[in-house]
Amino acid sequence: DYIPLLSTELGVRFFDDELSTLCMAWLGDPVYSVREATTANLRKVVETFGPEWAQHSLLPKLATLVDNRNYLHRMTLLFTISTLASVMGSEGIVSSLLPLTLRLAGDTVPNVRFNVAKTFQTLIPLVEGPGVQTLIKPCLLTLNEDSDVDVKFYASQSLNLC
């Protein structure tokens, strides 16, 4: 809970140099509540520093989780995307969060794929312009044909929002 306060008091440079490494480590913590708290704290940091800072400083670090061998880290990335979406704005979602989400749609682990569909439930109402119809909906149509029942279920639910 002190990360947002320290970030506000000590500034962007201190966060980038000192605290971002800690936050990335906490996102990989084996305890869910630690990962959840870190995600909430990152949202507060983005509220403080702004979406432009997040696109240039935070999201490149988060993007490394896409290729992590541990599927829980990839799911944590999806939870982080859902949490950050409301403070990133439509442009930030389309340019930064959506590409990461789309990359995970082809994951080998069904739990990751159905969490992609659940993440879209958060993103769809926040995306302005043609992004929903041109990027999200085609992905959901593919997920809706998945061999996994849960992936199909959540894809169908998200398609209802398109």
Side-chain angles (χ1 to χ4, degrees), residues 51 55 59 88-100 135:
Q55 287 181 299
L59 289 169
M88 289 297 294
S90 182
E91 185 178 311
I93 292 169
V94 172
S95 65
S96 298
L97 301 180
L98 193 51
L100 296 174
L135 299 170

Side-chain angles (χ1 to χ4, degrees), residues 41-73:
N41 283 331
L42 286 175
R43 181 183 192 282
K44 292 175 186 171
V45 171
V46 173
E47 286 175 342
T48 300
F49 295 153
E52 292 85 19
W53 167 82
Q55 287 181 299
H56 298 298
S57 294
L58 179 62
L59 289 169
K61 292 173 183 163
L62 291 174
T64 64
L65 297 175
V66 169
D67 298 316
N68 194 293
R69 290 184 353 192
N70 185 333
Y71 85 97
L72 292 174
H73 293 202

Side-chain angles (χ1 to χ4, degrees), residues 54-132:
Q55 287 181 299
H56 298 298
S57 294
L58 179 62
L59 289 169
K61 292 173 183 163
L62 291 174
T64 64
L65 297 175
V66 169
D67 298 316
N68 194 293
R69 290 184 353 192
N70 185 333
Y71 85 97
L72 292 174
H73 293 202
R74 299 190 303 273
M75 287 184 41
T76 298
L77 174 59
L78 290 168
F79 299 144
T80 304
I81 288 169
S82 291
T83 302
L84 295 180
S86 65
V87 295
M88 289 297 294
S90 182
E91 185 178 311
I93 292 169
V94 172
S95 65
S96 298
L97 301 180
L98 193 51
L100 296 174
T101 309
L102 291 168
R103 281 186 59 196
L104 289 170
D107 200 277
T108 59
V109 177
N111 282 13
V112 175
R113 294 194 306 274
F114 82 64
N115 276 288
V116 165
K118 288 173 71 173
T119 299
F120 284 145
Q121 291 176 4
T122 301
L123 299 182
I124 288 169
L126 300 172
V127 172
E128 298 170 0
V132 171

